[in-house]
Amino acid sequence: MSNSAYDQLNIYGEHFDSRLLIGSALYPSPQIMQQAIQSSGADIVTVSLRRQNSVSAGEDFWQLIKETGLKVLPNTAGCHSVKEVITLAQMCREVFKTDWIKLELIGDEYNLQPDPFGLLEATEILLKEGFKVLPYCTDDLVLCQRLADLGCEVLMPWGAPIGTGKGLINTYNLKTIRERLPDLTLIVDAGLGVPSHACAALELGYDAVLLNSAVAGAGDPVRMAKAFSHAVEAGRMGYVAKAMPEKEVAAPSTPTMGMPFWHQN
């Protein structure tokens, strides 16, 4: 694919070649994490300040992330209230020197579903404080519309609950969001398990996918990261190429009329 702005991922005016965002948690070792991130071809890596408990371990972790050379997208993973989210976002901006924030606000511990009410409240506050908010949300059209109305330029609806690997459980909802919000950057975040799930998301017209568990939890995270990078590229190329229309009846791929017949002597 070319490197024109049209073909690149656009996040709040910044353009990236890769349409795969990758997480940095749950890998078997720091070295495998670094190798998998590099193998993915991603330009953006998500990190969680809250998940780093030890100061010394945290410093080692940040050094590994810096060595990747990727754009850092801090997240508010593990937060359950608006106050927690705001405080952590402010800390992330100070630590990572970025106004980007992947906003996660969990409302239910069973399926880790985002709290839609708190999400709207926190998004409004953070946008007013100058953050570029990337909210992680469900595939609810009205919620996505409200987030867009607040000023979000990027939304991150889930494919399925975090860590389930179930893929795109409601393609109708995802397609509807894409059709109704054509000018927003949409990234499927959470629930993807295999490369074909990522390919399907890009074929729906989504701009990118964000992965963590699907890569970190694989038997071979480095190889799986590479597989996802190919799947994302294939899905995007398929979407841009425009698929043939579906038909209710079979149609021969090779017409018989007007075709030459080969004669044997």
Side-chain angles (χ1 to χ4, degrees):
M1 298 179 70
S2 71
N3 290 328
S4 68
Y6 174 80
D7 288 329
Q8 291 180 307
L9 173 63
N10 177 9
I11 297 182
Y12 284 101
E14 294 189 45
H15 295 90
F16 303 90
D17 292 328
S18 176
R19 293 177 179 274
L20 172 61
L21 289 70
I22 193 161
S24 56
L26 306 176
Y27 289 88
S29 71
Q31 292 71 31
I32 291 177
M33 175 200 74
Q34 196 173 42
Q35 292 170 15
I37 290 172
Q38 292 172 341
S39 180
S40 73
D43 294 322
I44 300 169
V45 59
T46 63
V47 297
S48 173
L49 185 62
R50 185 163 185 164
R51 300 302 190 196
Q52 298 302 316
N53 297 320
S54 167
V55 173
S56 59
E59 290 176 352
D60 293 340
F61 174 79
W62 303 141
Q63 184 58 40
L64 288 174
I65 293 297
K66 289 178 183 177
E67 289 174 2
T68 67
L70 304 188
K71 173 81 175 184
V72 173
L73 172 59
N75 65 52
T76 60
C79 290
H80 294 80
S81 71
V82 173
K83 182 178 180 181
E84 280 185 294
V85 161
I86 302 303
T87 300
L88 187 57
Q90 293 168 339
M91 292 173 61
C92 286
R93 180 157 62 180
E94 181 68 24
V95 171
F96 299 109
K97 309 302 180 185
T98 179
D99 53 9
W100 281 25
I101 192 73
K102 179 193 169 191
L103 179 56
E104 297 185 36
L105 177 52
I106 300 303
D108 181 79
E109 280 297 329
Y110 177 73
N111 68 355
L112 300 179
Q113 178 173 323
D115 175 355
F117 309 104
L119 192 64
L120 287 170
E121 181 182 349
T123 296
E124 184 172 17
I125 294 171
L126 290 173
L127 286 170
K128 288 179 178 178
E129 292 190 4
F131 283 92
K132 293 180 171 66
V133 181
L134 292 80
Y136 163 61
C137 58
T138 59
D139 54 4
D140 182 283
L141 173 62
V142 176
L143 174 59
C144 289
Q145 288 174 322
R146 297 294 179 268
L147 289 166
D149 291 342
L150 288 175
C152 289
E153 297 180 17
V154 182
L155 300 179
M156 307 181 79
W158 70 4
I162 295 173
T164 61
K166 291 182 177 294
L168 309 182
I169 58 175
N170 197 327
T171 55
Y172 173 81
N173 279 11
L174 292 172
K175 287 175 65 175
T176 302
I177 293 169
R178 176 71 285 176
E179 291 167 0
R180 297 293 299 276
L181 299 171
D183 298 326
L184 264 63
T185 296
L186 298 178
I187 302 172
V188 171
D189 176 19
L192 305 185
V194 293
S196 59
H197 295 159
C199 186
L202 273 291
E203 287 177 340
L204 287 178
Y206 275 70
D207 298 285
V209 296
L210 192 154
L211 307 166
N212 196 152
S213 302
V215 173
D220 185 340
V222 177
R223 183 168 293 180
M224 185 62 78
K226 189 69 172 180
F228 269 104
S229 72
H230 289 308
V232 167
E233 183 175 357
R236 176 63 181 180
M237 292 179 71
Y239 173 72
V240 172
K242 301 188 184 303
M244 62 169 283
E246 293 185 5
K247 300 177 181 179
E248 295 299 323
V249 295
S253 58
T254 304
T256 56
M257 296 297 293
M259 296 295 292
F261 290 90
W262 299 97
H263 297 282
Q264 293 181 338
N265 293 328

